Amino acid sequence: MAFPCMLMTLFIFSMAPFFSHFPLGQMTDLIYTEKELVQSLKEYIQAEESKLAAVKSWANKLDVLTLASTADPEVYLAHPVNAYKLMKRLNTEWSELESLVLQDPSDGFISNMTVHRQYFPDEEDEKGAAKALMRLQDTYKLDSESFSKGKLPGVHHNAILTVDDCYDMGKTAYNEADYYHAVLWMQQALRQMDAGEEHVVSKADVLDYLSYSVYQMGDLPRAIELTRRLVAIDSSHQRAGGNLRYFEKLLSKQLKELNQEVQEPATEEPIQLGTYKRPKDYLPEREIYEGLCRGEGVKMTSARRSRLYCRYHDGNRNPRLLLQPMKEEDEWDSPHIVRYLNALSDSEIEKIKELAKPRLARATVRDPKTGVLTTANYRVSKSAWLEGEEDPVIERVNQRIEDITGLTTQTAELLQVHTTYHIRLYMHSTYEPDAFKTLGTGNRVATFLNYMSDVEAGGATVFPDFGAAIYPKKGTAVFWYNLFRSGEGDYRTRHAACPVLVGCKWVSNKWIHERGQEFRRPCGLTEVD
């Protein structure tokens, strides 16, 4: 019996909640919190309108009375009823009106805000979200307009960025001395501003940041042109005049050094992605990594693809898999990576999420200098560790992993559940020679990775050393060995998660250790898969 299988996984695009220190569960809670605050705000507005309507009614009534009383005060007061009502109004009714005016319908709204404010994101979270957008921009080669207009690959969402949003993005980059992204976002703000979009920020402020950022990117002619635009708008600007003279002096000096007398006019072409080269960072693998995330540079040839197969896997005639064997597909030949279909049911996934959400904590990585696990500021992810004793579902999943792999999970790490939103590239090696000495369980011999969600764009697991990209598919799991049979680490299995562009990515993984595998995966003397 055979079943249809795809030897190459389709390129599935997607996004992840994103970028701040908040895990998906808390991000979802914030959505409902905001909805509740909007309702509270509406109630406040209704209360203010009711109060204003009552005050207007008083004003109209008193306006009529004062018109009559001031026409001829003596005649008006000659009537004893009018005299009484004047006394009553000034003593009682104006006091009631004063009380009405002093009422503050905002109390309920302010109280509600105070309760929820403790869960609000802070400035660092907002900065992290902005950086993550820029990270996505770099990884997937998207220009600022694509984000501003919500034009993401294969996705049509009504999520747009205003002039002021683009300005704030540029300012965040500028404050981090990231002039490359500051230029892109300030230029987008200016483009939308020139197109007539409404805005709060002034054009002078945008030109101020843009001109200086362009100067920092080494484009003096364009910096001069932009600064001249700034001076034309605001001749009294405190920095514009000085900057213009400085830029012109620098350009004159450069021309003199090049023996040129005529200044070339600044190009009139708008600044776009690719106008300036992104500064290199300390990660030599970044370009390979980002290319794989975009689906470029995958080294799977037709000849190699022809050697990939799909099969039924019964775990070496494991009793629990004989009647319902796993569907196994080859994802990669060397190192051998396989995918198992229907590794988790929808109900199991929901139960794992339910158990994990309350305890999701900021993910840690091992410091390469000290070897100590530390919270990584650049790795925006949340992790939770689940024990088999907590719920029958976790025990069942652990047993299934053991049945499929033929390896014992008695010395394995707990099931780790996480949502990952990388801001920077982090190469993860599951082979760390001295990391687990104190545990006495040996190194991580294998990795079993469950995908618990589909994603619309992005989110692949990539292996830069051999050019593979594995895409998430809900309910499936991928498996590979981190160690050769000799016990030496297979450094080819270093991998990284691509940032999720659109959608949400949930994964759970089981790191299986060496101890206890002596007769399940006998060691050898050579470094072979």
Side-chain angles (χ1 to χ4, degrees):
M1 179 186 289
F3 63 92
C5 84
M6 300 187 66
L7 299 183
M8 286 296 290
T9 306
L10 292 176
F11 198 100
I12 307 171
F13 276 119
S14 163
M15 143 176 176
F18 30 144
F19 334 96
S20 73
H21 300 171
F22 287 80
L24 175 62
Q26 290 181 26
M27 292 284 286
T28 304
D29 291 342
L30 288 178
I31 293 290
Y32 291 105
T33 294
E34 187 172 40
K35 181 179 181 181
E36 182 181 334
L37 289 175
V38 169
Q39 181 59 37
S40 180
L41 181 61
K42 287 181 178 179
E43 292 171 358
Y44 160 66
I45 292 171
Q46 186 177 7
E48 285 282 18
E49 288 175 342
S50 298
K51 170 185 169 180
L52 187 58
V55 172
K56 283 182 177 179
S57 177
W58 272 94
N60 292 334
K61 182 178 72 172
L62 292 170
D63 188 40
V64 172
L65 287 172
T66 54
L67 282 174
S69 63
T70 55
D72 191 337
E74 291 186 5
V75 172
Y76 180 82
L77 290 174
H79 198 296
V81 171
N82 287 339
Y84 163 73
K85 293 190 71 173
L86 176 62
M87 296 299 105
K88 181 176 181 290
R89 281 199 305 276
L90 292 173
N91 180 57
T92 304
E93 295 179 5
W94 275 97
S95 295
E96 292 174 359
L97 178 58
E98 181 183 26
S99 297
L100 176 62
V101 171
L102 289 174
Q103 285 179 9
D104 190 354
S106 68
D107 287 348
F109 173 69
I110 296 300
S111 176
N112 208 2
M113 279 283 293
T114 302
V115 169
H116 290 296
R117 189 181 297 280
Q118 59 184 314
Y119 304 110
F120 281 12
D122 57 21
E123 185 177 346
E124 283 301 309
D125 292 308
E126 182 181 348
K127 186 191 299 182
K131 286 182 177 180
L133 277 183
M134 297 172 204
R135 182 76 189 88
L136 293 171
Q137 185 177 21
D138 292 342
T139 302
Y140 298 107
K141 287 189 175 179
L142 300 170
D143 58 31
S144 301
E145 187 172 13
S146 296
F147 278 109
S148 178
K149 304 303 180 184
K151 300 174 183 176
L152 301 181
V155 179
H156 303 284
H157 286 300
N158 186 26
I160 62 173
L161 294 173
T162 65
V163 171
D164 297 286
D165 291 332
C166 294
Y167 169 78
D168 289 336
M169 287 284 295
K171 194 172 178 181
T172 296
Y174 182 93
N175 291 337
E176 295 286 314
D178 178 4
Y179 301 110
Y180 171 77
H181 288 106
V183 167
L184 293 176
W185 286 101
M186 288 299 175
Q187 174 65 35
Q188 182 60 30
L190 185 62
R191 183 182 294 119
Q192 292 179 211
M193 193 178 282
D194 288 341
E197 290 188 21
E198 293 184 358
H199 53 87
V200 175
V201 64
S202 70
K203 183 174 286 190
D205 284 341
V206 174
L207 286 168
D208 186 21
Y209 281 102
L210 179 58
S211 59
Y212 189 78
S213 297
V214 166
Y215 155 69
Q216 288 287 349
M217 293 304 295
D219 190 348
L220 271 173
R222 196 190 293 263
I224 290 171
E225 184 268 332
L226 289 167
T227 309
R228 285 173 178 165
R229 283 186 64 181
L230 173 55
V231 171
I233 292 173
D234 184 1
S235 59
S236 62
H237 193 280
Q238 60 178 352
R239 288 182 300 277
N243 283 352
L244 182 58
R245 289 188 294 273
Y246 177 67
F247 296 159
E248 290 175 338
K249 183 178 179 181
L250 277 180
L251 184 59
S252 176
K253 181 181 178 182
Q254 288 182 8
L255 292 173
K256 187 178 295 185
E257 291 174 353
L258 296 171
N259 294 320
Q260 294 182 10
E261 296 182 359
V262 181
Q263 172 188 333
E264 293 185 10
T267 176
E268 295 184 2
E269 293 182 4
I271 299 170
Q272 298 175 342
L273 195 69
T275 298
Y276 303 119
K277 192 172 182 179
R278 185 181 70 186
K280 290 188 177 294
D281 59 21
Y282 64 93
L283 293 167
E285 297 161 310
R286 178 179 293 282
E287 291 185 4
I288 298 174
Y289 159 78
E290 291 179 345
L292 288 170
C293 289
R294 293 190 297 269
E296 303 167 4
V298 177
K299 299 176 181 177
M300 178 54 68
T301 63
S302 298
R304 294 179 68 177
R305 189 180 297 113
S306 67
R307 296 194 294 269
L308 301 181
Y309 298 96
C310 55
R311 63 191 71 81
Y312 282 110
H313 174 75
D314 63 10
N316 196 24
R317 299 191 62 78
N318 184 292
R320 281 179 286 269
L321 297 180
L322 278 177
L323 296 179
Q324 191 174 2
M326 298 297 297
K327 296 175 182 179
E328 181 184 84
E329 297 178 353
D330 290 332
E331 283 281 349
W332 207 261
D333 52 357
S334 181
H336 193 205
I337 301 176
V338 295
R339 185 190 295 266
Y340 295 102
L341 308 187
N342 304 319
L344 287 178
S345 67
D346 287 346
S347 60
E348 288 172 334
I349 288 172
E350 291 309 309
K351 171 56 71 172
I352 292 171
K353 287 182 179 180
E354 178 188 326
L355 294 169
K357 283 179 181 179
R359 66 184 76 177
L360 287 170
R362 192 77 182 280
T364 57
V365 296
R366 193 166 300 282
D367 188 307
K369 294 181 179 178
T370 65
V372 177
L373 285 174
T374 58
T375 298
N377 293 326
Y378 57 81
R379 192 181 189 202
V380 181
S381 65
K382 294 280 183 171
S383 299
W385 301 82
L386 303 179
E387 297 189 44
E389 294 79 8
E390 294 183 49
D391 192 276
V393 167
I394 306 302
E395 186 63 45
R396 186 163 68 243
V397 169
N398 287 340
Q399 183 62 59
R400 186 178 301 139
I401 292 172
E402 187 166 308
D403 294 341
I404 292 172
T405 64
L407 302 174
T408 180
T409 58
Q410 293 301 309
T411 57
E413 296 172 45
L414 302 180
L415 187 71
Q416 185 189 32
V417 183
H418 53 103
T419 56
T420 306
Y421 322 113
H422 290 79
I423 285 181
R424 293 188 190 168
L425 164 62
Y426 168 68
M427 291 302 301
H428 183 73
S429 174
T430 42
Y431 172 68
E432 301 176 40
D434 301 318
F436 307 103
K437 279 187 174 180
T438 57
L439 295 179
T441 57
N443 220 304
R444 291 168 171 169
V445 67
T447 298
F448 195 96
L449 179 64
N450 293 298
Y451 291 115
M452 303 199 301
S453 64
D454 290 315
V455 290
E456 298 170 57
T461 303
V462 297
F463 298 78
D465 286 83
F466 55 93
I470 310 296
Y471 298 99
K473 186 175 180 182
K474 185 178 180 181
T476 70
V478 291
F479 172 75
W480 67 85
Y481 283 103
N482 307 308
L483 304 182
F484 291 109
R485 286 189 177 274
S486 64
E488 295 298 314
D490 187 349
Y491 287 99
R492 298 175 299 171
T493 60
R494 293 184 316 136
H495 58 281
C498 296
V500 179
L501 184 57
V502 180
C504 303
K505 182 181 177 183
W506 281 86
V507 297
S508 62
N509 63 275
K510 193 77 170 176
W511 281 313
I512 303 171
H513 284 242
E514 291 176 282
R515 185 175 178 181
Q517 319 302 345
E518 293 83 1
F519 298 103
R520 294 171 181 255
R521 191 197 188 220
C523 63
L525 299 178
T526 59
E527 292 186 351
V528 295
D529 293 354

Short mmCIF file of all heavy atoms in Angstrom, two decimals, residues 254-293:
data_model
loop_
_atom_site.label_atom_id
_atom_site.label_comp_id
_atom_site.label_asym_id
_atom_site.label_seq_id
_atom_site.Cartn_x
_atom_site.Cartn_y
_atom_site.Cartn_z
N GLN A 254 35.98 67.24 -0.82
CA GLN A 254 36.07 65.99 -1.57
C GLN A 254 36.32 66.24 -3.04
O GLN A 254 37.13 65.55 -3.68
CB GLN A 254 34.78 65.18 -1.39
CG GLN A 254 34.61 64.56 -0.02
CD GLN A 254 33.34 63.73 0.08
OE1 GLN A 254 32.66 63.50 -0.92
NE2 GLN A 254 33.01 63.30 1.29
N LEU A 255 35.63 67.23 -3.61
CA LEU A 255 35.82 67.55 -5.02
C LEU A 255 37.24 68.02 -5.29
O LEU A 255 37.84 67.68 -6.31
CB LEU A 255 34.82 68.63 -5.45
CG LEU A 255 33.35 68.20 -5.48
CD1 LEU A 255 32.44 69.39 -5.74
CD2 LEU A 255 33.11 67.12 -6.53
N LYS A 256 37.78 68.80 -4.36
CA LYS A 256 39.14 69.31 -4.52
C LYS A 256 40.14 68.15 -4.50
O LYS A 256 41.09 68.11 -5.28
CB LYS A 256 39.45 70.31 -3.41
CG LYS A 256 40.78 71.03 -3.58
CD LYS A 256 40.98 72.04 -2.46
CE LYS A 256 39.94 73.16 -2.56
NZ LYS A 256 40.21 74.23 -1.53
N GLU A 257 39.90 67.17 -3.59
CA GLU A 257 40.79 66.02 -3.51
C GLU A 257 40.72 65.17 -4.77
O GLU A 257 41.68 64.49 -5.14
CB GLU A 257 40.44 65.17 -2.29
CG GLU A 257 40.77 65.85 -0.96
CD GLU A 257 40.27 65.05 0.23
OE1 GLU A 257 39.55 64.05 0.02
OE2 GLU A 257 40.59 65.44 1.37
N LEU A 258 39.56 65.20 -5.44
CA LEU A 258 39.39 64.42 -6.66
C LEU A 258 39.68 65.24 -7.92
O LEU A 258 39.46 64.77 -9.03
CB LEU A 258 37.94 63.89 -6.73
CG LEU A 258 37.54 62.90 -5.64
CD1 LEU A 258 36.05 62.62 -5.69
CD2 LEU A 258 38.33 61.60 -5.78
N ASN A 259 40.16 66.50 -7.68
CA ASN A 259 40.47 67.41 -8.79
C ASN A 259 39.25 67.67 -9.67
O ASN A 259 39.34 67.76 -10.89
CB ASN A 259 41.61 66.85 -9.65
CG ASN A 259 42.93 66.81 -8.89
OD1 ASN A 259 43.24 67.74 -8.13
ND2 ASN A 259 43.70 65.74 -9.09
N GLN A 260 38.09 67.75 -9.04
CA GLN A 260 36.86 68.09 -9.75
C GLN A 260 36.41 69.48 -9.30
O GLN A 260 36.48 69.82 -8.13
CB GLN A 260 35.75 67.08 -9.45
CG GLN A 260 36.04 65.68 -9.97
CD GLN A 260 34.88 64.73 -9.69
OE1 GLN A 260 33.81 65.15 -9.27
NE2 GLN A 260 35.11 63.45 -9.93
N GLU A 261 35.95 70.25 -10.27
CA GLU A 261 35.50 71.60 -9.96
C GLU A 261 33.99 71.71 -9.93
O GLU A 261 33.43 72.59 -9.28
CB GLU A 261 36.07 72.60 -10.98
CG GLU A 261 37.59 72.70 -10.96
CD GLU A 261 38.10 73.72 -11.94
OE1 GLU A 261 37.25 74.33 -12.64
OE2 GLU A 261 39.32 73.91 -12.03
N VAL A 262 33.32 70.83 -10.66
CA VAL A 262 31.86 70.90 -10.78
C VAL A 262 31.23 69.83 -9.91
O VAL A 262 31.63 68.66 -9.95
CB VAL A 262 31.40 70.73 -12.23
CG1 VAL A 262 29.88 70.84 -12.33
CG2 VAL A 262 32.08 71.77 -13.11
N GLN A 263 30.25 70.25 -9.14
CA GLN A 263 29.53 69.31 -8.29
C GLN A 263 28.45 68.61 -9.11
O GLN A 263 27.64 69.25 -9.78
CB GLN A 263 28.87 70.04 -7.12
CG GLN A 263 27.93 69.17 -6.31
CD GLN A 263 27.16 69.98 -5.29
OE1 GLN A 263 27.62 71.02 -4.83
NE2 GLN A 263 25.97 69.52 -4.93
N GLU A 264 28.46 67.29 -9.07
CA GLU A 264 27.40 66.55 -9.75
C GLU A 264 26.08 66.75 -9.01
O GLU A 264 26.04 66.66 -7.78
CB GLU A 264 27.74 65.06 -9.80
CG GLU A 264 28.95 64.73 -10.65
CD GLU A 264 29.16 63.23 -10.75
OE1 GLU A 264 28.27 62.48 -10.30
OE2 GLU A 264 30.21 62.82 -11.26
N PRO A 265 25.01 67.04 -9.74
CA PRO A 265 23.72 67.24 -9.07
C PRO A 265 23.25 65.97 -8.39
O PRO A 265 23.54 64.86 -8.85
CB PRO A 265 22.79 67.65 -10.21
CG PRO A 265 23.42 67.07 -11.44
CD PRO A 265 24.90 67.14 -11.20
N ALA A 266 22.54 66.15 -7.30
CA ALA A 266 22.01 64.98 -6.59
C ALA A 266 21.01 64.26 -7.48
O ALA A 266 20.24 64.89 -8.21
CB ALA A 266 21.33 65.42 -5.29
N THR A 267 21.04 62.94 -7.43
CA THR A 267 20.10 62.17 -8.25
C THR A 267 18.67 62.46 -7.82
O THR A 267 18.38 62.68 -6.63
CB THR A 267 20.38 60.66 -8.12
OG1 THR A 267 19.38 59.94 -8.85
CG2 THR A 267 20.33 60.21 -6.65
N GLU A 268 17.79 62.52 -8.80
CA GLU A 268 16.39 62.80 -8.49
C GLU A 268 15.59 61.53 -8.27
O GLU A 268 14.40 61.58 -7.96
CB GLU A 268 15.76 63.61 -9.64
CG GLU A 268 16.38 65.00 -9.80
CD GLU A 268 15.68 65.81 -10.89
OE1 GLU A 268 14.72 65.29 -11.47
OE2 GLU A 268 16.11 66.96 -11.13
N GLU A 269 16.23 60.39 -8.44
CA GLU A 269 15.54 59.13 -8.20
C GLU A 269 15.24 58.99 -6.71
O GLU A 269 16.09 59.28 -5.86
CB GLU A 269 16.40 57.95 -8.66
CG GLU A 269 16.61 57.88 -10.16
CD GLU A 269 17.42 56.66 -10.55
OE1 GLU A 269 17.74 55.86 -9.64
OE2 GLU A 269 17.73 56.52 -11.74
N PRO A 270 14.03 58.54 -6.36
CA PRO A 270 13.69 58.39 -4.94
C PRO A 270 14.53 57.30 -4.27
O PRO A 270 14.97 56.36 -4.92
CB PRO A 270 12.21 58.00 -4.98
CG PRO A 270 12.00 57.40 -6.33
CD PRO A 270 12.93 58.15 -7.24
N ILE A 271 14.75 57.45 -2.99
CA ILE A 271 15.50 56.45 -2.23
C ILE A 271 14.64 55.21 -2.09
O ILE A 271 13.49 55.27 -1.66
CB ILE A 271 15.88 57.00 -0.85
CG1 ILE A 271 16.77 58.24 -0.99
CG2 ILE A 271 16.59 55.93 -0.03
CD1 ILE A 271 16.99 58.98 0.31
N GLN A 272 15.20 54.06 -2.46
CA GLN A 272 14.48 52.80 -2.38
C GLN A 272 15.35 51.74 -1.75
O GLN A 272 16.53 51.98 -1.48
CB GLN A 272 14.04 52.36 -3.79
CG GLN A 272 13.09 53.31 -4.48
CD GLN A 272 12.78 52.89 -5.91
OE1 GLN A 272 13.51 52.10 -6.50
NE2 GLN A 272 11.71 53.43 -6.46
N LEU A 273 14.76 50.58 -1.53
CA LEU A 273 15.54 49.44 -1.04
C LEU A 273 16.60 49.13 -2.09
O LEU A 273 16.30 48.91 -3.24
CB LEU A 273 14.61 48.24 -0.84
CG LEU A 273 15.16 47.07 -0.02
CD1 LEU A 273 15.30 47.47 1.43
CD2 LEU A 273 14.23 45.87 -0.13
N GLY A 274 17.85 49.16 -1.71
CA GLY A 274 18.93 48.92 -2.65
C GLY A 274 19.68 50.17 -3.06
O GLY A 274 20.75 50.09 -3.66
N THR A 275 19.11 51.36 -2.76
CA THR A 275 19.83 52.60 -3.06
C THR A 275 21.14 52.64 -2.29
O THR A 275 22.18 53.03 -2.83
CB THR A 275 18.96 53.83 -2.70
OG1 THR A 275 17.77 53.81 -3.49
CG2 THR A 275 19.72 55.12 -2.98
N TYR A 276 21.07 52.25 -1.02
CA TYR A 276 22.27 52.18 -0.18
C TYR A 276 22.48 50.74 0.25
O TYR A 276 21.53 49.98 0.43
CB TYR A 276 22.13 53.09 1.04
CG TYR A 276 21.87 54.53 0.70
CD1 TYR A 276 20.71 55.17 1.12
CD2 TYR A 276 22.78 55.26 -0.07
CE1 TYR A 276 20.47 56.49 0.80
CE2 TYR A 276 22.55 56.58 -0.39
CZ TYR A 276 21.38 57.20 0.04
OH TYR A 276 21.15 58.50 -0.30
N LYS A 277 23.73 50.38 0.46
CA LYS A 277 24.07 49.03 0.87
C LYS A 277 23.95 48.91 2.38
O LYS A 277 24.44 49.76 3.12
CB LYS A 277 25.49 48.68 0.43
CG LYS A 277 25.83 47.21 0.56
CD LYS A 277 27.18 46.89 -0.06
CE LYS A 277 27.48 45.40 0.04
NZ LYS A 277 28.78 45.06 -0.58
N ARG A 278 23.30 47.87 2.81
CA ARG A 278 23.14 47.66 4.26
C ARG A 278 24.49 47.37 4.88
O ARG A 278 25.26 46.53 4.37
CB ARG A 278 22.20 46.47 4.51
CG ARG A 278 21.87 46.25 5.98
CD ARG A 278 20.97 45.06 6.17
NE ARG A 278 21.65 43.81 5.89
CZ ARG A 278 21.05 42.61 5.87
NH1 ARG A 278 19.77 42.53 6.06
NH2 ARG A 278 21.75 41.53 5.62
N PRO A 279 24.83 48.05 5.97
CA PRO A 279 26.12 47.81 6.63
C PRO A 279 26.24 46.35 7.06
O PRO A 279 25.27 45.74 7.51
CB PRO A 279 26.07 48.75 7.85
CG PRO A 279 25.08 49.80 7.49
CD PRO A 279 24.05 49.11 6.63
N LYS A 280 27.43 45.80 6.94
CA LYS A 280 27.66 44.41 7.35
C LYS A 280 27.72 44.32 8.86
O LYS A 280 28.14 45.25 9.53
CB LYS A 280 28.96 43.88 6.74
CG LYS A 280 28.89 43.67 5.23
CD LYS A 280 30.12 42.96 4.73
CE LYS A 280 30.04 42.67 3.24
NZ LYS A 280 28.96 41.71 2.93
N ASP A 281 27.28 43.20 9.39
CA ASP A 281 27.37 43.00 10.84
C ASP A 281 28.36 41.87 11.12
O ASP A 281 29.08 41.43 10.23
CB ASP A 281 26.00 42.73 11.46
CG ASP A 281 25.33 41.50 10.85
OD1 ASP A 281 26.04 40.66 10.27
OD2 ASP A 281 24.10 41.38 10.96
N TYR A 282 28.35 41.40 12.34
CA TYR A 282 29.35 40.43 12.76
C TYR A 282 28.98 38.99 12.39
O TYR A 282 29.71 38.06 12.70
CB TYR A 282 29.54 40.51 14.27
CG TYR A 282 28.31 40.14 15.06
CD1 TYR A 282 28.11 38.84 15.51
CD2 TYR A 282 27.32 41.08 15.34
CE1 TYR A 282 26.98 38.48 16.21
CE2 TYR A 282 26.19 40.74 16.05
CZ TYR A 282 26.02 39.45 16.48
OH TYR A 282 24.89 39.11 17.17
N LEU A 283 27.85 38.78 11.75
CA LEU A 283 27.41 37.43 11.43
C LEU A 283 27.70 37.11 9.96
O LEU A 283 26.98 37.56 9.07
CB LEU A 283 25.91 37.28 11.71
CG LEU A 283 25.52 37.36 13.18
CD1 LEU A 283 24.02 37.53 13.32
CD2 LEU A 283 25.98 36.11 13.93
N PRO A 284 28.75 36.37 9.69
CA PRO A 284 29.13 36.09 8.30
C PRO A 284 28.10 35.27 7.54
O PRO A 284 28.07 35.28 6.32
CB PRO A 284 30.46 35.32 8.45
CG PRO A 284 30.39 34.70 9.81
CD PRO A 284 29.63 35.69 10.66
N GLU A 285 27.23 34.54 8.27
CA GLU A 285 26.27 33.67 7.61
C GLU A 285 24.94 34.35 7.32
O GLU A 285 24.03 33.72 6.80
CB GLU A 285 26.00 32.44 8.49
CG GLU A 285 27.22 31.56 8.71
CD GLU A 285 27.06 30.66 9.90
OE1 GLU A 285 26.69 31.18 10.97
OE2 GLU A 285 27.31 29.46 9.79
N ARG A 286 24.84 35.63 7.65
CA ARG A 286 23.55 36.30 7.53
C ARG A 286 22.97 36.22 6.11
O ARG A 286 21.79 35.91 5.93
CB ARG A 286 23.65 37.76 7.96
CG ARG A 286 22.32 38.49 7.80
CD ARG A 286 22.39 39.94 8.23
NE ARG A 286 22.61 40.06 9.66
CZ ARG A 286 21.66 39.90 10.58
NH1 ARG A 286 20.43 39.57 10.21
NH2 ARG A 286 21.93 40.06 11.85
N GLU A 287 23.79 36.49 5.11
CA GLU A 287 23.27 36.51 3.74
C GLU A 287 22.79 35.13 3.30
O GLU A 287 21.77 35.01 2.62
CB GLU A 287 24.33 37.06 2.79
CG GLU A 287 24.60 38.55 2.99
CD GLU A 287 25.56 39.11 1.97
OE1 GLU A 287 25.94 38.36 1.04
OE2 GLU A 287 25.94 40.30 2.10
N ILE A 288 23.53 34.08 3.69
CA ILE A 288 23.11 32.72 3.36
C ILE A 288 21.79 32.41 4.07
O ILE A 288 20.85 31.87 3.48
CB ILE A 288 24.19 31.70 3.77
CG1 ILE A 288 25.48 31.95 3.00
CG2 ILE A 288 23.70 30.27 3.55
CD1 ILE A 288 26.64 31.08 3.46
N TYR A 289 21.74 32.75 5.35
CA TYR A 289 20.55 32.53 6.16
C TYR A 289 19.33 33.23 5.56
O TYR A 289 18.27 32.62 5.36
CB TYR A 289 20.82 33.03 7.59
CG TYR A 289 19.61 33.35 8.41
CD1 TYR A 289 18.84 32.34 9.00
CD2 TYR A 289 19.22 34.67 8.63
CE1 TYR A 289 17.73 32.64 9.78
CE2 TYR A 289 18.12 34.98 9.40
CZ TYR A 289 17.37 33.97 9.98
OH TYR A 289 16.28 34.29 10.73
N GLU A 290 19.47 34.52 5.25
CA GLU A 290 18.34 35.28 4.72
C GLU A 290 17.92 34.76 3.35
O GLU A 290 16.72 34.74 3.03
CB GLU A 290 18.69 36.76 4.66
CG GLU A 290 18.83 37.40 6.04
CD GLU A 290 19.21 38.87 5.99
OE1 GLU A 290 19.64 39.35 4.91
OE2 GLU A 290 19.08 39.54 7.03
N GLY A 291 18.91 34.35 2.54
CA GLY A 291 18.57 33.78 1.24
C GLY A 291 17.74 32.52 1.38
O GLY A 291 16.74 32.33 0.67
N LEU A 292 18.11 31.65 2.31
CA LEU A 292 17.35 30.43 2.54
C LEU A 292 15.94 30.75 3.04
O LEU A 292 14.97 30.09 2.66
CB LEU A 292 18.07 29.54 3.56
CG LEU A 292 19.35 28.85 3.07
CD1 LEU A 292 20.09 28.21 4.23
CD2 LEU A 292 19.01 27.80 2.00
N CYS A 293 15.82 31.76 3.87
CA CYS A 293 14.51 32.17 4.37
C CYS A 293 13.61 32.62 3.23
O CYS A 293 12.38 32.47 3.28
CB CYS A 293 14.64 33.29 5.40
SG CYS A 293 15.34 32.78 6.99
#
